[in-house]
Amino acid sequence: MSERLVVIGGDATGMSAASQARRMKDASALEIVVFERGRFTSYSACGIPYWVGGQVADRDALIARTPEEHRSRDIDLRLHTEVVEIDVDGARVRYRDRESGAPAWLSYDHLVIATGARPLRPSLPGIDANGVHGVQALDDGQALLETLEQARGNRAVVVGAGYIGVEMAEALIRRGYDVTMVNRGAEPMSTLDPDMGALVRDAMCGMGIKVVGDADVSEIRTGDDGRVAAVVTDTAEYPADVVVLGIGVRPETDLARAAGLPLGQRGGLRTDLAMRVRGHENVWAGGDCVEVLDLVSGRERHIPLGTHANKHGQIIGANIGGGYAVFPGVVGTAVSKVCELEVARTGLREKDARAAGLQYVTVTVESTNRAGYYPDAAPMTVKMLAERFTGRLLGAQIVGQEGAGKRVDIAAVALTARMTVEQMTMLDLGYAPPFSPVWDPVLVAARKAVTAVRERG
């Protein structure tokens, strides 16, 4: 007798889980039903800013696998269909067709919750006005492009200065807009320490982006036609023909909360190493709706990234399919760019280390992405945190030009291996003048950290 797998959400985690389970069990052994409330599946939300900015010419280039391709693999994929209730005790879900509104129940043997995250949209006057956009799904990107094509002027305000905010600022600059970024924090990129965020601010200002820090938005002002006209803060007003919200996201776990499933401090679902929801043998979850273990601090965190989401789906599908796989945790690695500036981080910031009760030292080094004498060598700043006494690497942040961002992977591997900064100094990294100085900037920072640890310990 076959079992039934029900998946809520048809993007990275959901379709990866469904596809992996299908590879391991055919349709006679496992029926797979996927509910997706939108129009698209298996797409790269991370690519939306580059589609909006014109680097990616076609929306469909962001789609890894179409609904038709999934259905050809015996996956019953139902678009425009929203799950509105999970009955854990009855092992069933209630869903409705978003077009007809017709509700129905469907039982499951295994349930995968892959509902993702929802963009934060503060309750402000005018927040729902025409011309105000969040950017999370392909439909959001399409709506923003339509607004940009119809806008009467070229003034854009980006609210928030996280990854989405800075990437959308670049997209709007590329489209010829005058861009103002309004941020609640003093510096952009709160995932960095403020001293490194200041480097990002200086670079963005040099690109012609007006960066406003320490500003709380109080209102989105509209014109007589109901369209956005300005963003108002506690101290100033910034004219706008389009507004993009880049304030961040929260786990989309309303269904899970109503079903009584366990949530963490950040509102994400809590799972075990196999990505099974804790206390529920047949319920699984992954992607932006879960919290994961931080391997450096030992705490659970909400880190919404596509890299994790795809891994979660693979692990869930393997376990449902009769195999065995676990997700050990993350070190918090992320990269981004705004125009020619690359920004990367991994591990802990200073405030993270303090919150975890760790004593640490920090060092910052200035270097270049290539040998200094090689043409087009550009500056790069590396900041490194190491544990006092032990010298264990705790985190790294990098801001620089071409080639800076992916260098963070060196530190990510070192964090995962629990290496000390002294061990890092002897890493056998590739060298040639077009790619790095003879001492790579990451290793220079590690050497300086070794000295700081010795002096403090």
Side-chain angles (χ1 to χ4, degrees):
M1 182 176 179
S2 69
E3 296 182 321
R4 177 183 289 147
L5 164 62
V6 171
V7 180
I8 307 174
D11 198 11
T13 296
M15 296 317 304
S16 291
S19 298
Q20 180 65 17
R22 173 57 72 230
R23 292 186 193 101
M24 302 183 72
K25 286 188 175 182
D26 63 27
S28 64
L30 182 68
E31 177 190 0
I32 301 176
V33 180
V34 180
F35 294 111
E36 167 54 47
R37 64 186 179 186
R39 297 186 296 154
F40 304 98
T41 60
S42 300
Y43 60 87
S44 172
C46 301
I48 294 174
Y50 309 108
W51 169 38
V52 173
Q55 297 104 310
V56 176
D58 183 65
R59 178 197 66 197
D60 291 347
L62 302 180
I63 300 174
R65 189 168 290 172
T66 65
E68 292 72 26
E69 289 174 307
H70 286 301
R71 289 168 180 148
S72 71
R73 291 167 169 82
D74 291 318
I75 295 174
D76 181 0
L77 173 60
R78 306 183 189 183
L79 298 178
H80 308 286
T81 308
E82 183 175 15
V83 173
V84 295
E85 184 181 351
I86 300 171
D87 176 9
V88 174
D89 293 334
R92 60 179 186 162
V93 299
R94 185 162 63 93
Y95 65 94
R96 66 177 180 87
D97 185 294
R98 299 190 75 184
E99 295 176 355
S100 69
W105 287 94
L106 184 69
S107 63
Y108 61 80
D109 297 287
H110 304 278
L111 175 67
V112 176
I113 302 174
T115 45
R118 174 184 297 177
L120 293 174
R121 201 174 183 96
S123 180
L124 296 173
I127 195 69
D128 295 321
N130 289 334
V132 180
H133 295 269
V135 184
Q136 181 74 5
L138 286 186
D139 286 330
D140 300 330
Q142 186 66 60
L144 175 57
L145 281 172
E146 291 171 1
T147 291
L148 296 176
E149 290 167 359
Q150 298 167 7
R152 299 171 184 171
N154 69 333
R155 301 166 301 181
V157 175
V158 178
V159 180
Y163 293 112
I164 292 297
V166 298
E167 289 168 358
M168 289 309 306
E170 174 183 356
L172 294 164
I173 283 283
R174 285 181 172 273
R175 294 187 68 89
Y177 276 73
D178 291 331
V179 179
T180 299
M181 174 174 284
V182 179
N183 187 40
R184 174 175 290 181
E187 305 294 353
M189 301 294 290
S190 63
T191 53
L192 305 177
D193 287 322
D195 54 339
M196 297 296 282
L199 300 179
V200 178
R201 170 177 46 79
D202 291 344
M204 293 178 71
C205 290
M207 299 168 192
I209 299 171
K210 182 177 181 179
V211 181
V212 181
D214 290 325
D216 278 320
V217 175
S218 58
E219 178 187 356
I220 307 294
R221 188 159 295 166
T222 58
D224 294 337
D225 57 358
R227 295 188 59 82
V228 62
V231 172
V232 182
T233 72
D234 46 357
T235 59
E237 180 176 314
Y238 303 96
D241 300 295
V242 62
V243 172
V244 177
L245 303 177
I247 304 171
V249 299
R250 68 169 181 84
E252 180 64 274
T253 50
D254 290 348
L255 275 175
R257 179 180 290 105
L261 296 174
L263 305 181
Q265 290 186 349
R266 301 290 183 180
L269 277 155
R270 303 188 70 192
T271 67
D272 61 19
L273 293 178
M275 304 308 300
R276 182 186 286 108
V277 174
R278 296 184 188 181
H280 298 271
E281 281 295 314
N282 62 341
V283 181
W284 314 74
D288 293 356
C289 66
V290 305
E291 296 184 11
V292 294
L293 176 65
D294 185 315
L295 295 175
V296 187
S297 69
R299 298 183 167 193
E300 290 186 339
R301 298 173 59 189
H302 178 239
I303 304 180
L305 288 174
T307 50
H308 306 159
N310 280 281
K311 293 171 187 173
H312 295 167
Q314 290 285 316
I315 290 163
I316 292 168
N319 289 324
I320 291 174
Y324 173 70
V326 297
F327 185 75
V330 303
V331 294
T333 308
V335 294
S336 187
K337 67 182 286 289
V338 52
C339 297
E340 302 307 317
L341 186 73
E342 299 181 5
V343 182
R345 55 96 62 207
T346 189
L348 307 183
R349 299 163 296 179
E350 290 195 50
K351 70 177 183 180
D352 300 326
R354 289 193 297 269
L358 296 169
Q359 294 187 31
Y360 61 92
V361 299
T362 68
V363 296
T364 302
V365 300
E366 305 286 342
S367 186
T368 54
N369 59 345
R370 301 181 174 92
Y373 55 80
Y374 194 85
D376 299 323
M380 181 190 310
T381 303
V382 180
K383 180 175 182 177
M384 194 167 283
L385 280 71
E387 188 174 20
R388 187 181 176 189
F389 303 118
T390 70
R392 176 172 67 107
L393 178 69
L394 296 179
Q397 300 164 36
I398 304 174
V399 175
Q401 301 293 317
E402 180 185 359
K406 287 296 285 180
R407 272 183 167 88
V408 79
D409 290 341
I410 303 168
V413 172
L415 283 166
T416 304
R418 296 183 65 85
M419 294 178 68
T420 66
V421 287
E422 187 162 10
Q423 289 172 326
M424 288 182 67
T425 63
M426 291 296 111
L427 287 173
D428 186 12
L429 304 182
Y431 160 70
F435 303 106
S436 75
V438 66
W439 278 94
D440 189 271
V442 173
L443 299 190
V444 174
R447 290 176 64 184
K448 189 172 180 180
V450 170
T451 299
V453 169
R454 290 172 178 169
E455 290 175 348
R456 293 285 301 277

